[in-house]
Amino acid sequence: MATPSKTPPGADPKQLERTGTVREIGSQAVWSLSSCKPGFGVDQLRDDNLETYWQSDGSQPHLVNIQFRRKTTVKMLCIYADYKSDESYTPSKISVRVGNNFHNLQEVRQLEMVEPSGWIHISLLDGANSPIRTFMIQVAVLANHQNGRDTHMRQIKIYTPVEDSSMGKFPRCTTVDFMMYRTIR
Amino acid sequence: MTVLQEPVQAAVWQALNHYAYMDAVFLAERLYAEVGSEEALYLLATCYFRSGKAYKAYRLLKTHTCSTPQCRYLLAKCCVDLSKLAEGEQVLTGGVLNKQKSQDDIITEFGDSASFTLSLLGHIYCKTDRVAKGSECFQRSLNLNPFLWSPFQSLCHLGEKLDPEQIFRLSSLHIPLAPPPPISPAQNPSHRLDTALMETPQDTLELNRLNLESSNGKLTSDSTVSYIDSSLISPDPGSLLANTVSMGSTGSLLGKQNKPKSGRSLLGGPAALSPLTPSFGILPLDPSPGDPTYLQNYSGSLDTQQTAPSKKSVSRIGQSKSVFSQSGNGREVLPIPFSQSQSSAPHSSTTPQVLSPTLVAPPNIQPRRSTRLFTSASSTAKENSKKLKMKFPTKIPNRKTKCKAAKTSNSNLNESLDILKLDSSMNDSKSLTTPGYQSISLQRAATDMVLSMLRELGRGYQALCCYNCQDAINILSSVPAHHYNTGWVLTHIGRAYFELAEYTQAERVFSEVRRIEAYRVEGMEIYSTTLWHLQKDVALSALSKDLTDMDRLCPQAWCVAGNCFSLQQEHDIAIKFFQRAIQVDPGFAYAYTLLGHEFALTEELDRALACFRNAIRVNNRHYNAWYGLGMIYYKQEKFSLAEIHFKKALSINPQSSVMLCHIGVVQHALKKSESALETLNKAISIDPKNPLCKFHRASILFANDKYKAALQELEELKQIVPKESLVYFLIGKVYKKLGQTHLALMNFSWAMDLDPKGANNQIKEAIDKRYLPEDEEPVTEDFLYDSAADVEESSMTDADDSQLHTAESDDVL
């Protein structure tokens, strides 16, 4: 069996944000974890700092629950994982489930990572290739590298597509000349 | 007791004029403890206020009774600065609940400071939602003192239609009714030159009182006029003239140096001028005082050299001396001021020290001089001159030549024009031999210059506030070059371009402002929005850094910072900065508007609505906020509400093509396609350069199945904006509808080229679905619109991203 190739890192989601096509909406959600070590919880997961991380402290699967106030369009999920610093704590199999509440979740993506070393982009598209609309997302860590029990997750970001509806149902303009006249600021 | 006060008061004023606030406060406190009079109280409160501690002045004045108008004015000013508007109003007018004084009462009570008092009162009324009363106060204030810009500005902001021609004019009405204007010709130009330091309300009061007396005398009959003139002229013609000469020579800023010596104080009691009196109409008699810039330069030079002015004054006295000798008044000029001052009845000047090399005018001379000023300024000038003629058959030419000879290097066209004017006016009335009268006519010319400048700027500003932007640009561009190249004028021209949506022009003008006046913050928020529209992020971040480093307490700097981060799509940080701008100045409407836009971009529509409403609360005519509300309602698909708000914004700013475009889109959404087309036609006629109007017109035509017209429109648009993928996308759709699939494909592929990111999802779908039957098209289109939200400016990272995504998903699955 050939050695599976390492998962290449994706681009920094900040770059994506700057294009204005997506927007980070983690702040609109309530985050909860299945378990965590004191001092290594949700805050460290959402603090925009790649040095701090969430460390789980229970049995697998480890869960990150993201609940929105209203049904939200979600396009992409970005997870930062680094095998070099986390070794056996690095997640290797991740399942993403969506639904209305805890009892209503259905898996939409499952991915396996091999020695990741950066941002992993998980795009959440439904059957018609459009971003899913959901109340809740659950990220489950099913397995870690080297069969580790607990997992480290350094950062998670969740993105919604930006709809520019200020000028009718048209896609965004591309040139400055158009954009100048788009809005009165 | 009175005698004891004056040296101390003089010392305090000197300290104040030298910005040594600690010294001034210390001495004033001792004086107040010693004397406890209302004069001293006022002096102490002034020291506190000028040192920036309005709360100290406020508490001091509150705890002690203040009955004099100056004290009450200062107390009201402190109240307004501390946002205690009701209290301020009560101080000035007797409050909302008690019987209020009418504005006429206020005018008579406050005398000279009535114009400022009314301006302050107008400000209070406007802030407390009594706009009609406020604007009335502003009008009266302007009537009293046409040199005040802030009431005019406030009136423009309220949307009042004013006539700058009428406002910035010294009418003869001014002179009899209210003392200030007579003083103003002489006073205010120098006020404009000097800082507020030079001004003491007591002096104005005193002068005005005397003026009032004399002007009241004037009112009665011409004989009074002649009486005044004769009283001015006959007894001590030489001395008076000498005094005026000396006064003229000292220039406004010399008073500073005179301060400790003149030692007169003025508060209700015996009239005594504070050392700052030189601001009263002491204009140099040197050539071309009619040129305000010259005046500026002159006083500037006076500032710098203490000895020079004295030399000048001495030289001028020499000149006048010779004039006198010609006219037969062989009196010694120099000692006379001394004697005059000491003989002046109501004033107690201390010592001849008072009139050391830098001369100060004895107060009794000044009022009379001022009467002469306003007599010259008034329509009765000619009569006066005739009377003067009788008294002074001396020659003018000498004066003229001396004027010309003494001309400094500040010559410019205006100056020479003024000289010519003066020459002609001097030629007309031969009586203008007396240096005093000459100074008056020169000052009159100066004030005319100033007022004509104010009229021009007023017209331009008025046009801008009514959003007649092209007119405003024309008017403001036609001011003389040395005024044009100043921050104020250029900023407003830049703003006019901004309102016309000519952002490149606006950017050019604003960068000029930055070059000329790097310290200017007013108007920088408009500059930042211009850069935001043009997407010049480097310039914007540089501007933001500069301004926040320079002044952390001005809202404009934080607005610029917020715009900078908004352009970088970091909306949370932008929100933080806009909130900071609001914290710094809750009365800055634009900060609320920008915050509202940021909330709208982060889809927090309720908070956005609240922000826009706040902006409207602060400034009812802030059309951007009305537009913002309309935009939010449009996003929420409340189209009729959106239309109402857009129309309200349009009523404020009728020439905005972007606004009309939006209204057109909304009307189309409301299914009123004909009116939508009409609106868009109007928008295009106003501003043919707006591509979005054409685009929307094309899309409406397309929606109404007028494919040929739509195509024509789009073809034109293609010429204007060749790189816009939306255009090709729409053309492609039109061709698809027309069944010309190859052309549609061609255009879709062009659109894809111009915008690869969006093309991946949306246009591919458009291509793939081309074989679907017609009835499925709407679904397709909606679907396209949804995924089309991904369409964005192409960037390499995005392309990489998408490749990586696909790579990853391949790996995973």
Side-chain angles (χ1 to χ4, degrees):
Chain A
M1 182 169 102
T3 332
S5 53
K6 297 190 186 166
T7 319
D12 190 355
K14 278 282 182 194
Q15 303 268 26
L16 265 183
E17 276 180 50
R18 281 205 196 95
T19 62
T21 48
V22 290
R23 202 162 43 86
E24 217 267 320
I25 48 163
S27 51
Q28 288 178 18
V30 176
W31 294 71
S32 54
L33 305 167
S34 59
S35 61
C36 75
K37 185 171 148 184
F40 295 87
V42 180
D43 292 331
Q44 283 69 34
L45 184 62
R46 292 286 304 160
D47 60 358
D48 248 344
N49 184 351
L50 297 176
E51 307 298 320
T52 59
Y53 51 82
W54 161 49
Q55 177 166 327
S56 62
D57 192 22
S59 58
Q60 288 176 352
H62 307 297
L63 309 167
V64 183
N65 306 306
I66 309 167
Q67 290 169 285
F68 297 101
R69 271 180 237 114
R70 48 178 187 264
K71 207 163 192 180
T72 318
T73 315
V74 181
K75 186 179 172 194
M76 188 164 69
L77 195 62
C78 291
I79 298 179
Y80 189 86
D82 188 14
Y83 180 71
K84 286 188 196 56
S85 33
D86 292 327
E87 302 262 333
S88 65
Y89 285 93
T90 318
S92 67
K93 193 160 16 161
I94 293 185
S95 160
V96 181
R97 304 131 179 205
V98 301
N100 293 336
N101 49 50
F102 280 100
H103 310 292
N104 205 0
L105 295 170
Q106 276 186 311
E107 184 178 282
V108 290
R109 285 291 298 274
Q110 199 186 87
L111 71 144
E112 285 201 25
M113 308 190 290
V114 180
E115 296 186 17
S117 55
W119 288 98
I120 309 294
H121 297 238
I122 307 170
S123 58
L124 301 168
L125 300 174
D126 61 6
N129 267 352
S130 65
I132 54 171
R133 288 178 55 78
T134 175
F135 277 102
M136 178 168 173
I137 299 180
Q138 188 179 72
V139 179
V141 178
L142 303 175
N144 291 320
H145 281 77
Q146 299 167 16
N147 281 330
R149 179 168 160 258
D150 287 320
T151 185
H152 282 176
M153 206 175 280
R154 292 188 172 255
Q155 199 66 359
I156 298 189
K157 287 189 186 287
I158 184 148
Y159 289 101
T160 188
V162 172
E163 280 152 27
D164 179 29
S165 53
S166 65
M167 282 296 270
K169 300 198 191 89
F170 279 110
R172 293 172 74 95
C173 354
T174 50
T175 53
V176 179
D177 297 323
F178 250 58
M179 290 180 112
M180 256 171 30
Y181 293 96
R182 209 166 32 118
T183 170
I184 292 178
R185 190 168 164 91
Chain B
M1 245 339 177
T2 334
V3 178
L4 266 179
Q5 279 184 57
E6 286 170 358
V8 187
Q9 280 171 344
V12 173
W13 284 115
Q14 188 186 30
L16 277 180
N17 278 348
H18 285 82
Y19 320 98
Y21 296 120
M22 219 213 76
D23 301 308
V25 163
F26 183 78
L27 281 177
E29 281 175 351
R30 294 305 102 217
L31 179 65
Y32 184 62
E34 179 72 37
V35 179
S37 70
E38 200 150 328
E39 257 178 70
L41 174 72
Y42 177 73
L43 188 56
L44 180 56
T46 305
C47 291
Y48 283 143
F49 189 81
R50 288 199 194 182
S51 61
K53 313 278 184 203
Y55 68 93
K56 285 191 184 174
Y58 168 72
R59 289 198 182 200
L60 176 72
L61 290 172
K62 281 287 284 183
T63 49
H64 300 92
T65 52
C66 43
S67 52
T68 59
Q70 307 94 302
C71 274
R72 298 209 352 256
Y73 174 74
L74 183 56
L75 177 57
K77 189 108 177 73
C78 293
C79 289
V80 172
D81 281 357
L82 297 169
S83 307
K84 297 186 205 283
L85 296 176
E87 211 173 318
E89 185 184 348
Q90 186 178 21
V91 167
L92 287 178
T93 64
V96 186
L97 298 174
N98 311 330
K99 178 177 176 306
Q100 279 194 339
K101 300 183 199 152
S102 76
Q103 288 167 16
D104 292 320
D105 293 338
I106 293 177
I107 292 176
T108 45
E109 185 184 343
F110 282 89
D112 180 52
S113 20
S115 56
F116 297 100
T117 313
L118 282 172
S119 179
L120 191 62
L121 194 55
H123 175 73
I124 294 177
Y125 283 143
C126 287
K127 282 269 161 114
T128 51
D129 238 7
R130 286 168 288 177
V131 175
K133 280 183 100 165
S135 80
E136 199 190 319
C137 281
F138 285 135
Q139 295 268 20
R140 299 290 295 267
S141 167
L142 275 176
N143 285 345
L144 290 173
N145 185 351
F147 288 91
L148 291 183
W149 182 259
S150 59
F152 178 75
Q153 190 171 349
S154 308
L155 283 169
C156 285
H157 285 166
L158 290 175
E160 303 259 332
K161 297 270 183 275
L162 305 165
D163 185 8
E165 302 292 325
Q166 294 306 316
I167 291 175
F168 295 116
R169 206 165 273 286
L170 282 179
S171 62
S172 55
L173 285 174
H174 280 144
I175 291 80
L177 284 180
I183 308 264
S184 56
Q187 208 177 17
N188 288 333
S190 42
H191 282 176
R192 276 154 58 88
L193 308 175
D194 316 330
T195 61
L197 272 190
M198 303 309 294
E199 196 171 27
T200 59
Q202 316 114 306
D203 305 327
T204 46
L205 244 200
E206 171 51 21
L207 270 184
N208 291 328
R209 246 188 15 172
L210 296 168
N211 280 324
L212 193 51
E213 292 158 22
S214 44
S215 60
N216 280 335
K218 249 185 76 79
L219 266 177
T220 52
S221 65
D222 273 347
S223 58
T224 331
V225 171
S226 54
Y227 159 70
I228 291 172
D229 286 340
S230 51
S231 67
L232 283 175
I233 293 153
S234 38
D236 274 327
S239 60
L240 274 170
L241 295 170
N243 282 326
T244 54
V245 165
S246 61
M247 278 163 48
S249 62
T250 49
S252 37
L253 292 168
L254 287 178
K256 237 197 301 200
Q257 297 127 13
N258 298 328
K259 221 175 352 85
K261 298 146 189 161
S262 81
R264 294 183 212 94
S265 72
L266 187 56
L267 243 197
L273 287 167
S274 95
L276 303 176
T277 48
S279 57
F280 295 140
I282 295 185
L283 288 173
L285 288 179
D286 258 357
S288 61
D291 179 8
T293 57
Y294 167 75
L295 284 170
Q296 261 170 335
N297 294 334
Y298 189 85
S299 44
S301 60
L302 284 178
D303 246 347
T304 50
Q305 312 147 37
Q306 287 200 0
T307 52
S310 54
K311 285 194 203 126
K312 277 185 190 162
S313 57
V314 167
S315 65
R316 231 176 290 112
I317 287 175
Q319 291 170 6
S320 58
K321 227 174 148 181
S322 51
V323 170
F324 293 153
S325 53
Q326 283 166 7
S327 63
N329 294 331
R331 217 188 292 213
E332 259 300 317
V333 174
L334 272 169
I336 285 163
F338 294 78
S339 56
Q340 275 293 23
S341 62
Q342 278 157 355
S343 64
S344 61
H347 315 290
S348 46
S349 70
T350 47
T351 60
Q353 269 179 330
V354 174
L355 298 163
S356 55
T358 59
L359 306 164
V360 82
N364 64 337
I365 301 299
Q366 283 200 330
R368 292 189 212 142
R369 179 157 174 268
S370 309
T371 51
R372 260 196 274 153
L373 285 173
F374 63 76
T375 59
S376 67
S378 76
S379 52
T380 60
K382 292 226 169 79
E383 299 156 79
N384 276 343
S385 63
K386 283 188 200 128
K387 291 188 175 65
L388 284 173
K389 221 194 251 186
M390 299 184 306
K391 318 267 179 204
F392 292 107
T394 47
K395 298 178 217 160
I396 302 175
N398 272 332
R399 193 89 200 118
K400 250 200 302 191
T401 50
K402 278 166 203 141
C403 282
K404 283 199 180 129
K407 212 188 223 195
T408 61
S409 56
N410 302 321
S411 54
N412 53 30
L413 263 180
N414 282 335
E415 252 181 64
S416 46
L417 277 176
D418 286 322
I419 292 291
L420 291 172
K421 269 196 282 189
L422 287 168
D423 286 351
S424 52
S425 65
M426 279 195 271
N427 279 327
D428 289 343
S429 48
K430 298 208 183 99
S431 59
L432 294 172
T433 51
T434 66
Y437 196 79
Q438 249 173 5
S439 73
I440 292 168
S441 57
L442 292 174
Q443 284 153 18
R444 181 185 169 197
T447 56
D448 284 343
M449 278 294 303
V450 166
L451 285 174
S452 74
M453 170 61 50
L454 283 181
R455 281 197 288 274
E456 275 308 296
L457 295 180
R459 274 177 52 223
Y461 192 75
Q462 166 84 318
L464 183 58
C465 283
C466 296
Y467 296 101
N468 297 334
C469 298
Q470 201 48 53
D471 289 340
I473 294 173
N474 294 338
I475 295 172
L476 288 174
S477 307
S478 61
V479 301
H482 51 279
H483 284 286
Y484 179 81
N485 288 322
T486 53
W488 192 92
V489 175
L490 284 175
T491 301
H492 285 90
I493 292 179
R495 181 153 170 241
Y497 278 124
F498 171 81
E499 300 292 351
L500 284 173
E502 293 183 22
Y503 299 119
T504 33
Q505 295 268 43
E507 195 238 337
R508 186 181 51 86
V509 175
F510 275 120
S511 55
E512 185 65 20
V513 175
R514 287 288 298 159
R515 193 183 63 79
I516 296 177
E517 276 185 30
Y519 53 84
R520 192 180 169 87
V521 290
E522 294 81 17
M524 286 301 116
E525 74 278 10
I526 304 285
Y527 184 29
S528 73
T529 308
T530 312
L531 291 173
W532 185 92
H533 277 291
L534 292 170
Q535 302 196 7
K536 297 202 168 174
D537 40 9
V538 177
L540 187 48
S541 52
L543 179 68
S544 152
K545 175 131 185 26
D546 270 345
L547 286 179
T548 46
D549 281 344
M550 188 168 73
D551 185 357
R552 296 180 77 84
L553 291 179
C554 69
Q556 293 90 346
W558 296 113
C559 285
V560 174
N563 264 333
C564 176
F565 281 96
S566 170
L567 186 59
Q568 303 294 328
Q569 312 288 345
E570 307 220 14
H571 298 296
D572 297 318
I573 304 182
I575 287 173
K576 188 175 82 169
F577 283 135
F578 289 133
Q579 281 169 337
R580 213 179 269 188
I582 292 172
Q583 255 187 323
V584 161
D585 182 1
F588 192 64
Y590 198 47
Y592 290 104
T593 307
L594 290 172
L595 183 60
H597 280 293
E598 288 307 304
F599 279 135
L601 285 170
T602 48
E603 301 289 323
E604 295 189 63
L605 299 181
D606 299 315
R607 293 171 93 171
L609 279 174
C611 284
F612 287 128
R613 292 200 179 111
N614 266 322
I616 289 169
R617 172 183 59 84
V618 171
N619 180 1
N620 203 30
R621 290 193 86 238
H622 195 62
Y623 79 98
N624 313 51
W626 287 108
Y627 163 81
L629 281 177
M631 182 189 74
I632 303 282
Y633 287 127
Y634 181 83
K635 281 196 177 193
Q636 293 175 330
E637 310 214 343
K638 298 178 184 165
F639 295 123
S640 41
L641 269 176
E643 192 185 0
I644 291 171
H645 287 93
F646 282 147
K647 290 223 159 121
K648 171 83 183 157
L650 191 71
S651 69
I652 298 173
N653 181 357
Q655 53 82 47
S656 169
S657 64
V658 184
M659 190 73 71
L660 283 167
C661 193
H662 277 87
I663 293 181
V665 171
V666 165
Q667 282 170 332
H668 177 60
L670 283 171
K671 311 279 183 241
K672 297 192 282 190
S673 298
E674 308 79 32
S675 38
L677 280 172
E678 220 177 277
T679 317
L680 285 172
N681 289 338
K682 196 164 147 206
I684 294 175
S685 66
I686 290 180
D687 184 2
K689 285 182 284 174
N690 187 342
L692 269 178
C693 296
K694 296 177 83 70
F695 180 79
H696 281 288
R697 189 159 73 176
S699 73
I700 292 177
L701 290 168
F702 171 65
N704 291 346
D705 298 337
K706 301 198 174 61
Y707 302 124
K708 285 270 158 37
L711 268 178
Q712 190 190 17
E713 198 72 47
L714 288 166
E715 289 297 321
E716 288 170 25
L717 199 51
K718 224 165 61 172
Q719 303 304 318
I720 300 175
V721 192
K723 291 250 173 89
E724 177 58 54
S725 75
L726 267 188
V727 176
Y728 296 102
F729 177 68
L730 192 56
I731 295 179
K733 285 177 60 171
V734 175
Y735 279 130
K736 195 168 78 164
K737 271 283 181 136
L738 286 174
Q740 298 176 26
T741 46
H742 56 286
L743 278 172
L745 269 176
M746 196 166 74
N747 280 291
F748 284 141
S749 66
W750 280 338
M752 215 155 69
D753 281 340
L754 286 169
D755 183 23
K757 179 90 170 56
N760 280 343
N761 301 329
Q762 158 208 346
I763 301 182
K764 249 194 203 167
E765 301 299 338
I767 298 173
D768 288 340
K769 300 282 189 290
R770 73 186 184 279
Y771 293 118
L772 283 177
E774 285 294 295
D775 52 6
E776 284 200 23
E777 293 265 57
V779 175
T780 318
E781 270 162 25
D782 289 336
F783 167 79
L784 282 174
Y785 290 142
D786 285 338
S787 58
D790 296 337
V791 172
E792 190 37 60
E793 296 168 76
S794 51
S795 64
M796 279 311 294
T797 49
D798 291 348
D800 285 347
D801 254 357
S802 45
Q803 282 165 10
L804 284 167
H805 293 175
T806 46
E808 181 217 299
S809 47
D810 285 347
D811 273 350
V812 169
L813 299 167

